[in-house]
Amino acid sequence: MTAARRDVAIVAFAQTDHARRTDDLSEVEMLMPVLHDVLRQAGLRASDIGFTCSGSSDYLAGRAFSFTMALDGVGAWPPITESHVETDGAWALYEAWVKLLTGEADTALVYAYGKSSPGSVRDVLTRQLDPYYVAPLWPDSVALAALQARALIDAGDTDERALAAVAARSRRDAAANPHAQLPGARPQGDHVVAPLRTGDCPPVGDGAAAVILAAGDRARALCPRPAWITGMDHRVEAHSLGVRDLTDSPSTRLAARRAGAFDPDAARPVDTAELHAPFTSQEVVLRKALRLGADVRVNPSGGALAANPVMAAGLIRLGEAAARIHRGASDRALAHATSGPCLQQNLVAVLEGDHR
Amino acid sequence: MTAAPETLRAPFVVEFPFTRSLGPVQSAFLTGLRERVLLGVRTETGRVLVPPVEYDPETAAELRDLVELAPTGTVTTWAWNPEPRRGQPLTTPFAWVLVRPDGADTALLHALDAPGPESVRTGMRVRIRWAAERQGAITDIACFEPYGNADAGEEGGAAAGTGARPHDGVFDQPVTGIVTPARLDYTYTPGRAQTAWLHDLAERRTVGERCPSCAKVYVPPRGACPTCGVATTERVEVGPRGTVTTFCIVNIKAKNLDIEVPYVYAHIALDGAGLALHGRIGGIPYDQVRMGLRVEPVWTEGGRYPDHYRPSGEPDADYGTYKELL
């Protein structure tokens, strides 16, 4: 075995007020206040940061190399150590976590942003699919989620009423989240692609988020109650939907096991789970894969059903879970992020606060 | 305080014809569709994958053992699409379906032409409707259509693996590549700083923004100082004259650009600006343009930005006045 692993924690989290449109803001103009907020919370300046990593996709707003423009908001001079992932910022956080574990940095700034408003995100997301057999059919993101929802209903795992209850609970909880785009329960509406109704789908919108990671004593100095990352892992499944069992998520389960979510020796049980389930039906799959019981508070923030800034929504799950630990509302939380159609790729982190 | 200028917006289309080469299994599968033959591939454990892939998704083993399947199958899940979108297989409401072809162990994504959601169910029997014109693409399957009246359970659709016959994958004139057009439509909005810049420019004023931290004036402004990571807010009119800091001579005519070559493309530091912008230099032979040349903008009638810059007639600028802007 290797030497004892460094302790790394999320010490600060900030996000925008997510909105349907932000026509008056460029991406960097939307992102910059969030970067300033998260640095202020940690009492750091940009020059104090050891590693910077971001997640975004140029396809969302149709702006080539937009992540280089976004760096304008960081203050990247003198040259900083920086990286970018073309996926959800949760994977940027994973890269930063590994960087801190190696000892090459003591602090990291992780951010993500997505402006879905300039384009049609249902169609944009078709471009991530198999280009030979699937993308030429332009199956949009709601259609693929609806195929998964139907499979779940056929399997007896859920029904439209249960899905509506997930939608209602999420948006009711979002009423207490000042950043949510859809605060408060609302009608389920018509079928978008049956069996999914408007209420089963995430809102389309723009937003950004940022977290700061710190190692060891640095974390303790920056945050009264750091959210220690006791484990994190991500796993991917086959890209062909017809090969997968859409009613299950073995990649989530494996990532969770490797992250220690099922550790029978854990002193404290998981009390909170922030799940990145953009569609109501996906929460059903994730609850099953993660074996979450009724004693676990799921998505107290309202989750992606209340605000789904694509590329940032997964990072926000980690941030929301950490923020609950920071303020003492959770002792051991599980955070999940997803990417790809029908929960193709999944990341799970376990976060813990020090004993009070 | 003045009111924020009206948000600018413009349609923006990103469009590519992606050209992709095919591996041996993909080539056989798509050529087969052209010939109205449905192929799958058998894995080492005997499973038949449709659509076929070159490598086993579980073991990564190379797969080459092709099999031919009947054009019939069973719906494993479906979703009713009341409003078809651009590029989708059918223009009238249809069901998205995963179909397990008879003899296969996995399912293929496609569309099912059905009169309404009440006529679709998991387990229903369907068959391929071939496109009238086929070229070797997944769209050679126009869609699936209902087939017979019984569900798979009642009629006993062929069990996995049993309906698959070996196939050598050899066809005349195999398809070795596909071209898939991709188009995404956006509405571009430039944000606060660039909106203000464009509004002023249309009135022939060049207005940058100063960084409150390092005092550099950005022209054009993008809303943030990339050195300090803070918002630029103080608006500063610069120019209109400036200095050529460096330049190049363009010898290749760009497509759809009505400018004779050779011409000079230059970095121009407008007076008062903290960095150079680029523009074309005209009104002077290309081989007489030099560093330090003083220039001024030339506007065309109704133009929203300078067409090019020309010599202003002033003496050349001393190197020391622009060396920091190179």
Side-chain angles (χ1 to χ4, degrees):
Chain A
M1 278 302 287
T2 52
R5 198 163 77 181
R6 291 183 104 193
D7 294 327
V8 175
I10 297 175
V11 296
F13 167 57
Q15 60 183 317
T16 51
D17 295 340
H18 308 297
R20 177 62 188 91
R21 322 195 61 84
T22 51
D23 290 351
D24 53 335
L25 298 176
S26 68
E27 285 162 317
V28 65
E29 288 167 347
M30 176 178 76
L31 170 67
M32 197 163 38
V34 172
L35 299 176
H36 293 171
D37 185 6
V38 80
L39 287 165
R40 182 191 52 74
Q41 287 181 40
L44 294 174
R45 292 167 303 162
S47 56
D48 298 326
I49 296 294
F51 180 59
T52 300
C53 198
S54 60
S56 67
S57 172
D58 289 357
Y59 277 82
L60 282 180
R63 303 181 81 157
F65 293 99
S66 69
F67 66 93
T68 61
M69 301 287 215
L71 262 181
D72 285 359
V74 173
W77 188 266
I80 61 170
T81 306
E82 182 267 341
S83 184
H84 174 261
V85 297
E86 191 83 3
T87 184
D88 192 286
W91 277 263
L93 187 149
Y94 183 89
E95 182 176 338
W97 178 63
V98 172
K99 187 86 170 179
L100 265 60
L101 289 180
T102 66
E104 284 190 32
D106 293 328
T107 53
L109 170 65
V110 178
Y111 63 87
Y113 63 90
K115 281 190 77 155
S116 293
S117 63
S120 169
V121 70
R122 282 175 71 178
D123 303 310
V124 168
L125 290 175
T126 65
R127 301 301 92 191
Q128 71 182 334
L129 303 170
D130 168 8
Y132 303 97
Y133 301 159
V134 182
L137 305 174
W138 293 82
D140 61 276
S141 48
V142 180
L144 297 178
L147 287 168
Q148 185 173 33
R150 169 63 58 194
L152 284 162
I153 292 170
D154 287 342
D157 286 339
T158 192
D159 55 30
E160 284 202 44
R161 230 177 104 210
L163 296 180
V166 171
R169 190 210 70 232
S170 298
R171 280 144 193 160
R172 265 199 315 271
D173 285 343
N177 176 353
H179 305 287
Q181 187 178 333
L182 298 184
R186 52 206 65 216
Q188 276 292 81
D190 294 332
H191 283 129
V192 183
V193 180
L196 294 180
R197 296 177 181 274
T198 305
D200 294 308
C201 303
V204 175
D206 303 348
V211 307
I212 288 177
L213 301 182
D217 289 340
R218 197 74 201 279
R220 293 180 187 92
L222 296 175
C223 179
R225 193 172 193 240
W228 300 106
I229 302 170
T230 59
M232 179 157 48
D233 194 65
H234 64 92
R235 297 281 146 171
V236 66
E237 295 177 39
H239 65 80
S240 176
L241 292 174
V243 168
R244 293 169 47 194
D245 173 1
L246 297 179
T247 68
D248 194 11
S249 184
S251 56
T252 299
R253 189 161 47 244
L254 181 55
R257 195 174 78 221
R258 293 179 56 91
F262 307 137
D263 183 356
D265 302 325
R268 290 168 295 179
V270 167
D271 55 48
T272 304
E274 278 285 341
L275 307 180
H276 185 192
F279 297 91
T280 52
S281 42
Q282 294 177 344
E283 183 180 304
V284 176
V285 179
L286 293 171
R287 277 177 178 271
K288 188 163 79 167
L290 292 166
R291 303 173 200 159
L292 297 179
D295 52 335
V296 177
R297 182 87 166 90
V298 172
N299 288 349
S301 67
L305 288 164
N308 188 41
V310 177
M311 301 297 144
L315 179 64
I316 290 170
R317 305 282 70 77
L318 285 133
E320 290 281 7
R324 277 179 82 79
I325 289 173
H326 294 162
R327 60 178 183 260
S330 168
D331 291 326
R332 189 163 190 257
L334 186 152
H336 160 269
T338 195
S339 177
C342 301
L343 303 172
Q344 185 195 3
Q345 185 172 9
N346 296 283
L347 177 149
V348 176
V350 177
L351 306 175
E352 290 191 38
D354 289 328
H355 284 282
R356 286 169 289 178
Chain B
M1 190 171 160
T2 54
E6 180 197 347
T7 300
L8 294 173
R9 63 186 76 239
F12 178 61
V13 177
V14 176
E15 194 164 19
F16 311 102
F18 280 102
T19 304
R20 298 179 188 277
S21 55
L22 302 172
V25 171
Q26 292 168 321
S27 171
F29 175 67
L30 294 178
T31 308
L33 295 184
R34 188 189 69 196
E35 304 303 323
R36 300 206 284 192
V37 171
L38 181 67
L39 295 181
V41 72
R42 197 184 294 278
T43 70
E44 289 167 311
T45 58
R47 277 162 52 85
V48 172
L49 309 182
V50 183
V53 289
E54 318 249 315
Y55 298 94
D56 190 315
E58 290 177 3
T59 66
E62 188 172 286
L63 303 178
R64 295 294 181 268
D65 188 7
L66 296 169
V67 292
E68 182 178 350
L69 301 153
T72 52
T74 303
V75 171
T76 63
T77 186
W78 61 281
W80 186 255
N81 185 23
E83 290 178 38
R85 303 170 77 80
R86 186 172 69 198
Q88 295 182 344
L90 296 168
T91 53
T92 51
F94 66 91
W96 288 105
V97 282
L98 281 171
V99 174
R100 186 177 64 76
D102 294 338
D105 294 273
T106 64
L108 172 81
L109 177 75
H110 222 292
L112 170 67
D113 189 7
E118 62 287 341
S119 61
V120 185
R121 62 203 177 277
T122 298
M124 77 184 283
R125 300 281 295 151
V126 295
R127 70 179 166 203
I128 291 173
R129 180 190 297 164
W130 298 102
E133 288 179 25
R134 296 176 307 281
Q135 54 181 353
I138 192 66
T139 46
D140 288 355
I141 297 175
C143 61
F144 282 83
E145 59 190 16
Y147 168 60
N149 295 317
D151 282 356
E154 299 162 42
E155 198 175 71
T162 57
R165 298 186 303 279
H167 192 286
D168 61 11
V170 176
F171 298 95
D172 285 342
Q173 295 178 305
V175 177
T176 57
I178 56 171
V179 178
T180 49
R183 174 182 168 138
L184 295 170
D185 284 72
Y186 299 92
T187 300
Y188 186 88
T189 57
R192 182 200 61 79
Q194 293 191 70
T195 293
W197 154 266
L198 291 168
H199 275 293
D200 285 325
L201 207 56
E203 293 167 10
R204 303 195 176 185
R205 296 193 309 132
T206 308
V207 183
E209 291 191 0
R210 190 190 307 277
C211 172
S213 176
C214 70
K216 189 166 180 167
V217 176
Y218 287 92
V219 182
R222 296 203 304 248
C225 172
T227 302
C228 304
V230 296
T232 54
T233 48
E234 187 197 342
R235 313 195 63 231
V236 181
E237 185 164 355
V238 301
R241 290 181 171 177
T243 301
V244 171
T245 61
T246 185
F247 64 94
C248 64
I249 299 167
V250 179
N251 287 289
I252 296 172
K253 202 169 162 61
K255 198 176 168 186
N256 304 326
L257 194 61
D258 190 23
I259 299 171
E260 289 307 313
V261 293
Y263 66 87
V264 172
Y265 201 69
H267 273 191
I268 301 156
L270 297 179
D271 296 343
L275 76 170
L277 46 66
H278 12 140
R280 182 169 62 87
I281 305 295
I284 180 173
Y286 71 91
D287 56 359
Q288 290 177 30
V289 174
R290 57 207 177 261
M291 289 170 70
L293 180 71
R294 294 286 294 162
V295 294
E296 62 188 13
V298 177
W299 301 82
T300 52
E301 185 65 31
R304 293 179 62 95
Y305 49 88
D307 177 70
H308 64 278
Y309 292 79
R310 69 182 172 205
S312 67
E314 298 163 279
D316 283 4
D318 286 335
Y319 181 66
T321 63
Y322 63 85
K323 69 176 182 184
E324 297 298 328
L325 303 176
L326 276 171

